[in-house]
Structures are given as C-alpha cells and as structure tokens.
Amino acid sequence: MKIQIINGPNLNLLGVREPTIYGSGTFTEFFETLKSKYPTVEFEYFQSNTEGCLIDKIHEVGFDCDGIVLNAGAYTHTSVALLDAIKAVTAPVIEVHISNVHCREEFRHHSMISSGCKGVICGFGLDSYRLAVEAILNFRQ
Ligand code: DQA
C-alpha cells in the first residue's frame, strides 16, 4: 500500500504559520507519528509552494500509488490546472484541510478541486490527514 501526501503553498510553515488556525506542531513531527501508526503503509511526502511542481508530482505518482492525500492550500480555491491534474490520473485523491474552511472567509468556501476528488476532509487539524489515510485504507481493502 503506497500513499502519497502532497502539501501545497505555505504548508512548509506549519508550526510557525498562524498557530491559532493551523496548530503549533510541524508537519515533520506529525509525519513521523503517522508513519509509526501505519507501519505497513509506504508513505511518501512532498511539499511545494509552486503550482506546476504540485501538478508534476500528481502526474508522477498518480498512476502508481494507491491514493493521494492532497492539501492544496490556497490553490484549492483557484486552480483549474490542479483539478485537471487530479482528473487525469488514476489514483484516488482525497482533499484535506487542517482548518474548517467553511467557518472561515467566504473565498475559502469554494474548492476548485473537490469535484475531481474522491472525498474531502477538513477541520480536524493535522488529524485530517490521518482520517484521509483511514479512508484510503478502507476503500482499497
Ligand atoms: C488550508 C486552507 C486554505 O484555505 C489555506 O489557503 C491553506 C490551508 C487548510 O489546510 O486549512 O493554506 O488548506
């Protein structure tokens, strides 16, 4: 079972960036805990602040892995190109958000990418990623 986690712009600053919204833990710390919880799953992690690099990664892994957990950050709300990349590959993509985007500014209420995704999880802090992993494990078994 291979699961790719992809984080978009500004998510390299988790732990530092707006901790009241995104928490004070780093993604690296969380990722180590996640890997230890699922020792049989092969996890890969990728983060980029650049839209094209996120698209390239989806193309690279999207015909091979069992699922992609994608937090596209602000590109969620703007990127038709990411939606097209998600639709182009065969691996199921789960859209995740740390915060509950529906409780925030109006511009965060709409996702450009949801219609290409298998499902959406938001609002559970970093646990949103683990819930997405659980979802992939459940429908892949
Ligand atoms: C986010 C929500 C987005 O609106 C925002 O631009 C982010 C993070 C989240 O995980 O809550 O960068 O995707």
Side-chain angles (χ1 to χ4, degrees), residues 8-11 14 17 21-22 71-77 96-101 104-105 107-108 122-123 129:
N10 302 306
L11 293 164
L14 285 176
R17 171 193 187 198
I21 298 174
Y22 299 112
N71 185 346
Y75 289 137
T76 303
H77 315 297
V96 303
H97 300 285
I98 298 164
S99 62
N100 182 348
V101 284
R104 300 182 62 193
E105 303 96 320
F107 67 85
R108 296 186 204 275
C122 77
Y129 294 85

Side-chain angles (χ1 to χ4, degrees), residues 81-140:
L82 265 179
L83 170 63
D84 287 347
I86 292 164
K87 286 162 83 172
V89 298
T90 50
V93 178
I94 315 293
E95 175 184 347
V96 303
H97 300 285
I98 298 164
S99 62
N100 182 348
V101 284
H102 302 288
C103 299
R104 300 182 62 193
E105 303 96 320
E106 184 107 29
F107 67 85
R108 296 186 204 275
H109 296 182
H110 182 256
S111 167
M112 269 305 177
I113 65 171
S114 295
S115 64
C117 292
K118 174 98 178 155
V120 183
I121 297 170
C122 77
F124 297 98
L126 288 172
D127 204 39
S128 293
Y129 294 85
R130 188 192 59 79
L131 292 167
V133 168
E134 279 291 332
I136 294 169
L137 294 177
N138 283 337
F139 66 69
R140 278 294 191 186

